[in-house]
Amino acid sequence: MEKGKLIEFRRQGERRLAVTDRPEGKKDWIVLDEGGVAHKIRPQQVEYEIDGGSYKPSDIPSFIQQVKPYLDPSSLEVAWELLVEEGKAVSPSEMAQLLFSDQSPLLCYAAHCLLSEDKIYFKRKGDLYEPRSASQVDEIKHQIEVERQRHREKEAFLDRLQQALAGERVEWAESDRSRLEAIEKFVLQPEQPARAAQEILSWAGRSQTPEAAFELLVDLGWWSPHENLFLRRSGYPLQFPKKVLEVAQSCLISPPSDPDPNRLDLTHLKVYTIDDESTEEIDDGLSVEFLKHGKVRLWIHIADPSRLVTPGDELDLEARRRSTSLYLPTGMISMFPTVLATDPMSLVQGKLCPALSFGVVLDETGTVEDYSIYTSLIKPTYRLTYEDVDEMLELGIQAEPEIAALATWAQRRQQWRRSQGSIDIQMPESVIKVKADDEIVIELLEVSRARQLVAEMMILAGEVAGRYCQEHNLPVPFRGQPQPELPPEEELLLLPAGPVRACALRRCMPRSEIGITPIRHASLGLDTYTQVTSPIRRYTDLLAHFQLKAHLRGDSLPFSREQMQEILYSVTSSAQEATAVERQTNRYWGLEYLRRHADCVWQVLVLRWLREEENLGIILLEELGLELPHRFERPVSLGDRLKVQVYRADPHRDEIRFREAIGQVS
């Protein structure tokens, strides 16, 4: 190089023009830009040398202005079309001749600028530029268009984002879904990489944390303020697949032929269905048949969803995937599509209903004397609530002697099971319901004769079903529970009677077990037991129905022992996850209820210790049936009653703190 030479170099990726001023050392040069600022550069930093006479820094702005009119990138496409077939590489001066029919220094530099900035038609090869192949150009153009489309979608998304945050109604585009789902994933799986979500949070001016992501989704109206994160983190499906819904509609319009055409007609029996008022899946009904010599036959009728479901079909596999209906404070999520579960599968009052009926004769002690199982047809007579039945029993309604008989035999069954070693633990139990306006209602369930009646009849059906399957060597989901190691009676008597003592017993109870061979169920006092009374909402019950019904009609069993065992592994895992979701969701709404009632004073019972040396225990809010942790600030004993007030509650963080309300009135 020599003094006064106009060169192009790059500084931090930016194209710069400068005039050489003087050498610096053996190889370096000092150059002056248009502002007269000196830069030290090495020869390899020089991108292009403009031919021609001696330049001064003050010439640079004028030179740039003269070049600009020639910098039309589209002109390269014409040149590329002329050169691509030959595959000939060109220099900037040759390109200047081709584009402008001139090779002046200014136009050669313009050609250099076009070629060096081009990302579509030419690629650099030494000091020359080689035309790309037609296929390469097509692919590059496609990628550029894809990127432009992404940019347009991003800009449109940001517009909708701001509109939604401003409270305007927004129709989210399909392309928005992946972005919003990325934010969801960041909330649900904060330990996973979340670059896309954090980028969106940055666009929205929010901190890049899972908490901020949750708030953004709520502010956008994409999630509710009480979004069920436990449910979303679980594998439980929130929606039914389209194919399953289509099959459900087909069953409604054109039901499949009944695999059990020779059903026993029991429509002459009076059938009572007894449930909570809000129950939609009605899966059991009760009858009493008065026999000679003062004997009675108790009938437990169970809904027969397998009338519409075939092992291995779409409905069966979806129910297997779900394993159970979910009962959450915000509502039920059914194991089967609701249009089936609440109508043709349920025992609906006044309708002819297929059922699986268990007829049982008991002796005076409550022992099973005789039993039979039939696929049947029934016609439910009354739909009653537990409160209805309690009132009927209290008033002694003469027109319905069946109700009194059911209560009497239920009591005898309970006494018989106690004689067999059953363990009855009575703890306060509540139901949490969230209404449409997010109002939370907590109802404490009363121990009642009606609930005991229904519970005993369901256990009775489970016992005779287990006996039948054991006698005929049928692999079904048998339920059992190992014998617990209970504290000595004198030790239990030292504990206050009621919830404290019941809680101590409950802690001794081993987890129930499930397998394909009979096992004693210690807490029920039964040597064999299988659940069959909830096939609409519990998949293991449906499995038992499949096996039982096939055997009753003389068909081969739909599931071998190996198949049944394999299915139980997956179904049991899914059911445990669903139970955890129910428990966590109930706890969330319990804490939210307490948060909203922070000014209330609650009477609590010191239930048990977590770490007595740290004064950390579990208290029972007796009015609500909630068991929660509390650290005591003074010495207390199990069974003591205190008054507490919420000090801090954060349902999202699963945190609750109480302080004792000494001297305050509840």
Side-chain angles (χ1 to χ4, degrees):
M1 289 190 294
E2 57 190 34
K3 182 178 174 63
K5 195 76 171 176
L6 184 59
I7 64 159
E8 178 191 281
F9 72 102
R10 289 187 183 266
R11 177 60 56 92
Q12 296 178 337
E14 180 186 354
R15 183 193 302 276
R16 306 283 292 274
L17 287 179
V19 175
T20 55
D21 183 56
R22 64 185 183 277
E24 179 78 4
K26 292 183 179 180
K27 295 183 179 180
D28 297 343
W29 274 80
I30 299 297
V31 298
L32 304 175
D33 64 20
E34 61 185 81
V37 177
H39 301 272
K40 178 181 175 181
I41 65 168
R42 296 187 172 185
Q44 56 265 38
Q45 289 179 268
V46 176
E47 294 283 326
Y48 189 79
E49 293 184 24
I50 292 93
D51 292 335
S54 181
Y55 290 89
K56 300 187 292 296
S58 59
D59 296 331
I60 294 175
S62 173
F63 184 85
I64 292 173
Q65 288 302 316
Q66 292 177 65
V67 169
K68 279 183 179 179
Y70 299 97
L71 300 181
D72 179 8
S74 64
S75 62
L76 279 182
E77 184 174 6
V78 177
W80 171 79
E81 289 175 351
L82 294 172
L83 296 170
V84 66
E85 290 186 10
E86 300 176 16
K88 179 186 176 184
V90 293
S91 66
S93 61
E94 290 171 324
M95 180 59 72
Q97 183 65 40
L98 187 61
L99 292 177
F100 313 121
S101 302
D102 192 342
Q103 290 184 321
S104 68
L106 186 142
L107 293 177
C108 287
Y109 179 67
H112 158 75
C113 291
L114 288 170
L115 288 167
S116 62
E117 292 297 322
D118 174 56
K119 299 292 188 291
I120 301 176
Y121 301 105
F122 294 89
K123 59 184 175 183
R124 189 164 185 170
K125 198 168 185 181
D127 292 332
L128 302 178
Y129 291 86
E130 186 178 79
R132 288 186 167 94
S133 68
S135 60
Q136 288 176 323
V137 168
D138 288 342
E139 177 60 25
I140 292 170
K141 285 182 175 180
H142 172 70
Q143 293 300 329
I144 289 172
E145 182 53 37
V146 167
E147 190 56 39
R148 284 174 180 163
Q149 179 62 25
R150 283 179 183 157
H151 181 74
R152 288 193 292 268
E153 289 176 354
K154 172 190 167 183
E155 293 301 314
F157 171 72
L158 290 178
D159 287 343
R160 287 188 285 273
L161 190 76
Q162 294 306 323
Q163 289 170 11
L165 292 174
E168 298 177 31
R169 183 179 177 82
V170 170
E171 290 293 333
W172 295 104
E174 188 61 32
S175 58
D176 298 334
R177 185 168 296 277
S178 61
R179 290 186 169 94
L180 294 167
E181 287 175 351
I183 306 174
E184 288 182 347
K185 186 177 179 182
F186 185 35
V187 177
L188 300 173
Q189 300 174 346
E191 70 284 355
Q192 298 293 324
R195 190 165 60 86
Q198 290 172 326
E199 187 177 37
I200 296 167
L201 288 166
S202 176
W203 296 342
R206 307 290 179 103
S207 61
Q208 297 175 21
T209 64
E211 293 78 14
F214 180 89
E215 290 174 5
L216 178 60
L217 291 171
V218 172
D219 291 345
L220 293 174
W222 187 255
W223 275 2
S224 79
H226 300 289
E227 194 71 25
N228 193 331
L229 302 186
F230 314 111
L231 179 57
R232 286 190 170 274
R233 287 190 183 110
S234 76
Y236 198 94
L238 299 181
Q239 304 293 335
F240 283 96
K242 182 180 178 182
K243 178 64 176 174
V244 174
L245 294 176
E246 288 172 353
V247 172
Q249 283 299 325
S250 176
C251 285
L252 285 177
I253 297 167
S254 179
S257 58
D258 191 347
D260 300 282
N262 301 316
R263 292 178 179 270
L264 179 64
D265 188 345
L266 296 178
T267 54
H268 61 284
L269 292 176
K270 197 184 293 184
V271 179
Y272 304 90
T273 64
I274 308 170
D275 285 289
D276 287 308
E277 188 174 356
S278 60
T279 300
E280 297 178 356
E281 299 172 339
I282 305 170
D283 48 19
D284 58 82
L286 303 173
S287 298
V288 177
E289 183 182 1
F290 294 100
L291 308 174
K292 295 178 181 179
H293 312 298
K295 291 277 188 180
V296 301
R297 180 176 285 112
L298 303 171
W299 286 98
I300 303 105
H301 311 287
I302 307 302
D304 187 6
S306 62
R307 151 81 175 80
L308 301 173
V309 183
T310 302
D313 70 6
E314 295 285 347
L315 291 172
D316 173 52
L317 295 179
E318 181 65 17
R320 188 183 303 177
R321 185 162 73 112
R322 291 167 177 260
S323 77
T324 181
S325 292
L326 271 184
Y327 292 89
L328 305 175
T330 47
M332 178 193 71
I333 304 176
S334 182
M335 187 174 79
F336 287 109
T338 306
V339 291
L340 295 181
T342 61
D343 191 5
M345 287 184 176
S346 283
L347 303 183
V348 181
Q349 180 181 350
K351 286 191 176 182
L352 192 65
C353 301
L356 186 62
S357 295
F358 299 81
V360 188
V361 178
L362 303 175
D363 67 15
E364 289 300 313
T365 67
T367 305
V368 175
E369 190 175 277
D370 184 38
Y371 74 87
S372 51
I373 306 174
Y374 300 96
T375 53
S376 65
L377 286 173
I378 63 170
K379 196 170 186 179
T381 316
Y382 299 113
R383 178 176 178 177
L384 303 174
T385 66
Y386 292 110
E387 291 75 17
D388 292 335
V389 174
D390 282 327
E391 187 176 357
M392 292 168 75
L393 291 171
E394 187 176 345
L395 296 175
I397 304 297
Q398 297 298 314
E400 305 294 338
E402 293 88 350
I403 294 293
L406 285 167
T408 298
W409 286 105
Q411 191 172 20
R412 289 180 185 175
R413 275 292 295 174
Q414 188 180 49
Q415 291 169 348
W416 177 83
R417 288 194 304 105
R418 282 176 181 162
S419 73
Q420 303 302 304
S422 73
I423 303 168
D424 188 20
I425 300 174
Q426 295 288 342
M427 288 291 293
E429 187 179 352
S430 61
V431 173
I432 303 177
K433 296 179 181 178
V434 179
K435 299 186 177 180
D437 57 357
D438 273 353
E439 179 190 356
I440 308 170
V441 177
I442 301 182
E443 298 174 355
L444 199 61
L445 295 180
E446 299 290 336
V447 177
S448 74
R449 292 181 69 188
R451 291 186 184 276
Q452 181 217 339
L453 181 163
V454 172
E456 286 298 334
M457 292 300 109
M458 299 305 106
I459 294 170
L460 176 58
E463 182 189 0
V464 298
R467 282 196 188 188
Y468 183 92
C469 294
Q470 183 175 20
E471 289 166 7
H472 296 91
N473 197 31
L474 306 185
V476 298
F478 288 97
R479 298 271 178 174
Q481 187 181 43
Q483 190 66 34
E485 294 184 12
L486 300 178
E489 187 174 350
E490 58 272 18
E491 187 177 316
L492 279 175
L493 290 174
L494 293 175
L495 296 173
V500 175
R501 194 177 296 173
C503 182
L505 282 173
R506 185 182 65 187
R507 295 191 67 200
C508 297
M509 301 303 294
R511 293 184 64 172
S512 61
E513 299 176 353
I514 187 169
I516 59 172
T517 54
I519 178 175
R520 177 171 170 76
H521 200 300
S523 63
L524 294 181
L526 300 177
D527 290 329
T528 183
Y529 175 70
T530 183
Q531 289 180 317
V532 290
T533 57
S534 298
I536 305 175
R537 58 185 179 87
R538 205 162 45 209
Y539 187 74
T540 51
D541 296 40
L542 182 67
L543 282 174
H545 276 231
F546 281 141
Q547 301 288 78
L548 266 169
K549 287 178 59 184
H551 190 269
L552 287 170
R553 60 177 175 259
D555 291 351
S556 58
L557 299 181
F559 302 106
S560 67
R561 303 185 73 83
E562 292 75 18
Q563 289 172 321
M564 180 63 70
Q565 187 65 69
E566 185 178 346
I567 292 170
L568 283 185
Y569 279 135
S570 64
V571 169
T572 303
S573 175
S574 299
Q576 288 172 347
E577 186 176 36
T579 300
V581 169
E582 289 179 337
R583 183 178 63 251
Q584 292 162 337
T585 306
N586 274 287
R587 181 178 170 91
Y588 173 91
W589 285 105
L591 296 188
E592 175 63 14
Y593 181 88
L594 291 170
R595 187 191 69 80
R596 295 183 189 183
H597 294 79
D599 56 338
C600 292
V601 177
W602 306 98
Q603 179 168 290
V604 302
L605 181 72
V606 182
L607 193 61
R608 68 179 178 90
W609 291 110
L610 287 173
R611 292 189 292 274
E612 187 174 2
E613 68 281 2
E614 298 177 21
N615 284 332
L616 182 63
I618 296 293
I619 55 176
L620 170 67
L621 280 71
E622 296 182 280
E623 187 179 338
L624 304 177
L626 300 178
E627 298 178 27
L628 295 165
H630 178 57
R631 192 179 300 279
F632 302 96
E633 300 298 327
R634 62 184 179 88
V636 295
S637 301
L638 297 183
D640 285 355
R641 282 185 164 81
L642 319 171
K643 293 185 186 299
V644 300
Q645 198 167 10
V646 173
Y647 172 67
R648 186 177 72 211
D650 187 338
H652 288 291
R653 295 177 178 272
D654 192 31
E655 292 179 357
I656 182 78
R657 298 286 185 274
F658 296 98
R659 60 183 170 210
E660 191 170 353
I662 299 173
Q664 296 193 43
V665 180
S666 175

